[in-house]
């Protein structure tokens, strides 16, 4: 009877120790895997990438095994194209290997904008719409038309352009506007003139 109790007791404690060892091994394995997966304890310093080219900055980050994301969505003429403006996390901070570093850099130039549909609109509304999208009016030309002070055509570098065309921001446009029809214009004498000369006389009048 005593031997049976001893055996049972020994088996109980053996089983308990085995279970404890298995649980310990599982917990240790999980923590070891997490440590490996998250590079626990392996930290690097965010390098100083200011005042260097964007290509050099990327090379520095890759040497430190850091991931990166670059934002060049905005252009500021007071900075050089692709000049680095901001870094997060801040330079000198300690981060884990593989951490994503966010870099905000100046764009190369203004982004293109679409010409709004201003044909048939009053010149005041057209001026406002162009200003909103960042386009400028370099000149206005008037043609006789019943639609007084209405945009008839839009010219860019001397050529007519259509709504929706992509243009560099701050581009200068020429607006052709309607002008009140002249009254009591004297019809010029065209008899004896060739076609080209007659056309010039009509245009002048």
């Amino acid at each position: 009877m005593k031997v049976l109790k001893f055996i049972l007791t020994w088996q109980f404690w053996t089983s308990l120790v085995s279970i404890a060892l298995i649980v310990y091994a599982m917990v240790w394995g999980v923590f070891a895997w997490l440590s490996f997966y998250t590079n626990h304890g392996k930290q690097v310093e965010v390098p100083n990438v200011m005042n260097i080219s964007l290509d050099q900055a990327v090379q520095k980050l890759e040497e430190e095994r850091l991931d990166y994301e670059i934002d060049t969505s905005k252009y500021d003429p007071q900075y050089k194209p692709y000049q680095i403006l901001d870094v997060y996390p801040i330079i000198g901070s300690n981060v884990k290997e593989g951490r994503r570093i966010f870099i905000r850099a100046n764009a190369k130039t203004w982004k293109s904008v679409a010409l709004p549909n201003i044909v048939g609109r009053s010149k005041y509304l057209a001026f406002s719409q162009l200003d909103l999208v960042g386009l400028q009016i370099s000149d206005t030309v008037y043609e006789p038309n019943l639609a007084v002070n209405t945009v008839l055509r839009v010219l860019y570098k001397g050529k007519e352009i259509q709504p929706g065309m992509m243009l560099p921001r701050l581009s200068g446009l020429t607006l052709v506007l309607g002008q009140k029809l002249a009254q009591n214009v004297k019809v010029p004498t065209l008899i004896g003139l060739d076609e080209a000369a007659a056309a010039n006389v009509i245009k002048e009048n």
Side-chain angles (χ1 to χ4, degrees):
M1 190 70 176
K2 290 182 179 181
V3 175
L4 180 60
K5 287 184 178 181
F6 173 77
I7 292 173
L8 291 175
T9 303
W10 180 80
Q11 288 179 339
F12 170 77
W13 286 108
T14 301
S15 300
L16 188 62
V17 170
S18 299
I19 293 172
L21 288 173
I22 292 172
V23 171
Y24 173 80
M26 292 177 62
V27 171
W28 182 87
V30 170
F31 277 101
W33 179 82
L34 287 174
S35 178
F36 173 79
Y37 182 77
T38 61
N39 290 321
H40 180 70
K42 294 183 180 180
Q43 292 191 330
V44 295
E45 186 176 292
V46 178
N48 185 359
V49 295
M50 303 296 288
N51 301 318
I52 60 176
S53 70
L54 194 55
D55 289 339
Q56 291 173 323
V58 168
Q59 184 178 352
K60 271 194 171 186
L61 293 174
E62 289 180 345
E63 288 174 353
E64 298 294 341
R65 297 183 180 179
L66 293 170
D67 198 0
Y68 53 87
E69 183 173 322
I70 302 171
D71 176 16
T72 57
S73 60
K74 293 183 180 180
Y75 174 71
D76 191 332
Q78 65 177 322
Y79 298 108
K80 296 178 182 178
Y82 299 130
Q83 180 177 343
I84 297 173
L85 306 178
D86 193 22
V87 179
Y88 180 82
I90 61 174
I91 293 170
S93 57
N94 292 320
V95 297
K96 295 178 182 178
E97 283 187 1
R99 170 68 185 270
R100 178 167 294 185
I101 307 300
F102 296 89
I103 297 177
R104 185 171 64 88
N106 197 31
K108 184 177 181 180
T109 186
W110 296 110
K111 278 193 172 182
S112 297
V113 295
L115 174 68
N117 188 4
I118 57 174
V119 176
R121 306 287 177 88
S122 71
K123 70 174 184 179
Y124 303 106
L125 181 58
F127 289 178
S128 177
Q129 284 186 285
L130 292 175
D131 184 60
L132 284 174
V133 298
L135 296 173
Q136 298 180 337
I137 300 167
S138 58
D139 195 13
T140 53
V141 177
Y142 287 87
E143 288 184 359
N145 196 285
L146 293 174
V148 179
N149 286 329
T150 297
V151 179
L152 305 178
R153 297 189 304 281
V154 182
L155 307 180
Y156 176 61
K157 295 183 177 180
K159 296 182 179 180
E160 183 176 354
I161 56 176
Q162 301 301 320
M165 181 176 178
M166 301 303 293
L167 300 169
R169 192 170 182 269
L170 301 181
S171 295
L173 306 177
T174 298
L175 300 188
V176 181
L177 305 172
Q179 186 180 39
K180 184 178 179 181
L181 298 177
Q183 300 292 328
N184 301 320
V185 178
K186 184 179 179 180
V187 179
T189 301
L190 305 177
I191 298 175
L193 301 178
D194 59 26
E195 184 179 352
N200 286 333
V201 172
I202 291 174
K203 185 176 181 181
E204 290 173 357
N205 287 270

